[in-house]
Structure formats: structure tokens, C-alpha cells
Amino acid sequence: MKIIVGNWEELRGHAQPIRFEVFVDEQNVPAEIELDEMDAVCVHAVAYAEDGSPLATGRLLPDGHVGRMAVLKAGRGKGVGGAVLQALIGAARARGDKEVILNAQTHAEPFYAAHGFAREGEEFMEAGIPHIIMRASLA
């Protein structure tokens, strides 16, 4: 597996189809809210299989939020999502962020907890899906 960290212009061609397959096709997130103006100012990561096919993506916003974490079915349960998350955490640490925060889909809480994130507050709905806020210190 290989992970490339870069900007939207560099990685959109691989990140966008993953996000649409996972969020729009599988989870019924409206296509019109999947892409936003923040993509242009985020750090993006894309994980690639040995054959070069893209498997997963995520983004890091300027304020330290991690989001749009998506892993194609072929990459699930193989550490691909964790590798993307660690790449984004590394990017946050490298630019001097003190913490990272994310809105996790509730079913993914154990995944993020295994990577050092702690739950905050109550469950809420986002794009019709239950979420929780989770935070990890980079100190």
C-alpha cells in the first residue's frame, strides 16, 4: 500500500470517485453536499493498493478537523483507513496543530478510539447519519 498526501488539484481524480462511491452510492449522502469549497484548502490523502488502484481517502481541514474518511469495500478491514488517518494526523502534526478533531459516524467510534481519539458530547445527525465528535491531542 502507498499513501500520497497532497492538495485537491493533485488528488481529486482519485479521491472524488472514492467519496462518491462510499458516501453517495452506499450511504445515500446527497451528491450536492459531498463536495464543498473546503476541498480546495484541505490537505488530502489517498491510499493505493499494490496494483496502483485507489482504495481510500480523507482530508484535513485548516482548523485541524479530519473529514471525508472513506474506504472502498475492497480496502476495508485491512488497515487502509488507519493508514490514511495516520497520514492526515502526521500532516497536522507537521504543520504544528496541537490536536485533531472529527465528526465520526457513530458506528466508526471504535476505529477512531483505537487511533487515540476520545468521544465528546452527545450523538447528532449529519447528512442523515448519526455522528459523534471525537478529539485527539498531538502533544
Side-chain angles (χ1 to χ4, degrees):
M1 176 180 32
K2 175 173 130 182
I3 297 181
I4 295 179
V5 175
N7 64 38
W8 188 235
E9 188 174 305
E10 297 166 327
L11 297 175
R12 179 181 187 154
H14 291 152
Q16 182 176 332
I18 295 168
R19 285 168 47 179
F20 269 71
E21 185 170 328
V22 172
F23 297 126
V24 178
D25 297 343
E26 292 180 22
Q27 298 181 350
N28 299 310
V29 171
E32 58 273 11
I33 68 167
E34 179 36 44
L35 302 179
D36 62 24
E37 68 283 350
M38 295 308 294
D39 280 320
V41 297
C42 287
V43 173
H44 295 266
V46 175
Y48 297 88
E50 296 303 320
D51 68 2
S53 61
L55 286 175
T57 189
R59 73 181 189 180
L60 174 67
L61 284 86
D63 67 359
H65 273 77
V66 169
R68 300 304 203 274
M69 289 284 300
V71 181
L72 296 178
K73 287 180 183 175
R76 294 179 192 158
K78 300 175 181 172
V80 178
V84 168
L85 181 60
Q86 289 304 315
L88 294 171
I89 290 170
R93 187 175 273 121
R95 71 179 184 194
D97 292 2
K98 301 292 184 233
E99 65 179 7
V100 286
I101 188 168
L102 52 84
N103 294 348
Q105 291 185 10
T106 304
H107 71 84
E109 180 178 359
F111 166 79
Y112 291 110
H115 289 276
F117 286 79
R119 178 183 185 142
E120 290 186 357
E122 299 300 316
E123 187 176 284
F124 61 95
M125 296 299 283
E126 185 173 70
I129 300 167
H131 283 73
I132 54 168
I133 295 173
M134 298 188 80
R135 183 182 312 264
S137 173
L138 301 182

